[in-house]
Amino acid sequence: QSVLTQPPSVSAAPGQKVTISCSGSSSNIGNHYVSWYQQLPGTAPKVLIYDNNKRPSGIPDRFSGSKSGTSVTLGITGLQTGDEAEYYCGTWDSSLSAGVFGGGTKLTVL
Amino acid sequence: QVTLRESGPALVKPTQTLTLTCTFSGFSLSTSGMRVSWIRQPPGKALEWLARIDWDDDKFYSTSLKTRLTISKDTSKNQVVLTMTNMDPVDTATYYCARGTTVTNIDYWGQGTLVTVSS
């Protein structure tokens, strides 16, 4: 049971937009920045979004992040088959004094 | 260029102690703000945060695994070591080390090393 809650799966057609939610509490998302990670099959995770809505260099602006209260959302526009991956949100939890991740969301591009 | 590489045994027996080493380059763990975390992922399952060590030698552990984990660093060798005692088959996973520049941002990950626990 993950501390952060994500939907197990989402799907959309190529070219469309999809959003992935991640909910937590005041001890984690509510008071800390959140990062989003993309994990392509058989590879290590890669950071897509950090500090809620910032993109590292090299990450296209098709990927965006937003935060509201104790929830964050990852948005992906112009879906491509190469976006099929597992997506994780992650942050720090002050009550646990530990890092926490969501359970992951599998994106299928139909 | 920042790189991290995990090393350790691919197979351990139940009850044994696992020792993993993260060897990194492109940054120094003596630089203010630098952090290295260990994260694992059982086959087909989600990421699980395990432990973190900071540039100032602060250490943090997963609450559920705290009694079994020890993290340490050797700044001169650019290495971070994680030990996990009393290994069990449920600990079978790919273990990643990763760099963080803030409490919440993990910006570089190693490729991971698969550890299987079996007799």
Side-chain angles (χ1 to χ4, degrees):
Chain A
Q1 190 81 359
S2 301
V3 172
L4 306 181
T5 302
Q6 299 179 234
S9 63
V10 296
S11 62
Q16 296 300 303
K17 174 182 178 178
V18 71
T19 60
I20 298 173
S21 62
C22 171
S23 64
S25 67
S26 59
S27 64
N28 43 67
I29 293 177
N31 281 285
H32 291 284
Y33 287 122
V34 176
S35 295
W36 285 95
Y37 304 94
Q38 177 193 60
Q39 187 176 32
L40 297 169
T43 69
K46 177 181 79 171
V47 62
L48 281 181
I49 298 288
Y50 68 98
D51 290 357
N52 301 334
N53 55 19
K54 297 177 182 174
R55 284 177 287 105
S57 61
I59 301 300
D61 59 6
R62 300 189 298 109
F63 297 91
S64 63
S66 63
K67 176 177 172 178
S68 177
T70 59
S71 294
V72 290
T73 301
L74 172 69
I76 310 173
T77 60
L79 278 172
Q80 303 172 1
T81 55
D83 296 331
E84 284 203 334
E86 198 82 22
Y87 292 83
Y88 294 91
C89 54
T91 187
W92 187 255
D93 191 295
S94 299
S95 295
L96 300 173
S97 289
V100 290
F101 288 103
T105 299
K106 181 174 175 59
L107 168 63
T108 300
V109 181
L110 302 168
Chain B
Q1 181 188 2
V2 173
T3 63
L4 303 100
R5 186 182 76 252
E6 306 87 352
S7 59
L11 179 67
V12 297
K13 297 184 187 311
T15 76
Q16 286 186 335
T17 294
L18 170 68
T19 299
L20 294 173
T21 301
C22 175
T23 303
F24 56 86
S25 63
F27 70 99
S28 172
L29 201 40
S30 60
T31 299
S32 177
M34 290 298 164
R35 303 162 168 88
V36 172
S37 295
W38 284 94
I39 296 136
R40 72 178 179 180
Q41 185 172 38
K45 296 190 177 181
L47 301 172
E48 179 184 17
W49 186 91
L50 298 177
R52 192 187 90 202
I53 189 165
D54 295 353
W55 79 99
D56 57 2
D57 212 37
D58 270 351
K59 300 167 187 174
F60 304 88
Y61 296 99
S62 161
T63 53
S64 61
L65 294 169
K66 187 170 188 173
T67 60
R68 300 173 53 204
L69 294 173
T70 303
I71 192 170
S72 63
K73 63 182 172 73
D74 186 332
T75 304
S76 65
K77 293 183 178 179
N78 281 350
Q79 291 182 333
V80 170
V81 175
L82 180 76
T83 61
M84 180 179 292
T85 61
N86 195 24
M87 294 292 285
D88 183 271
V90 299
D91 296 314
T92 294
T94 295
Y95 287 75
Y96 297 99
C97 65
R99 185 189 85 158
T101 54
T102 69
V103 169
T104 57
N105 182 28
I106 297 174
D107 58 355
Y108 288 93
W109 296 66
Q111 64 185 16
T113 186
L114 175 61
V115 178
T116 301
V117 184
S118 174
S119 55

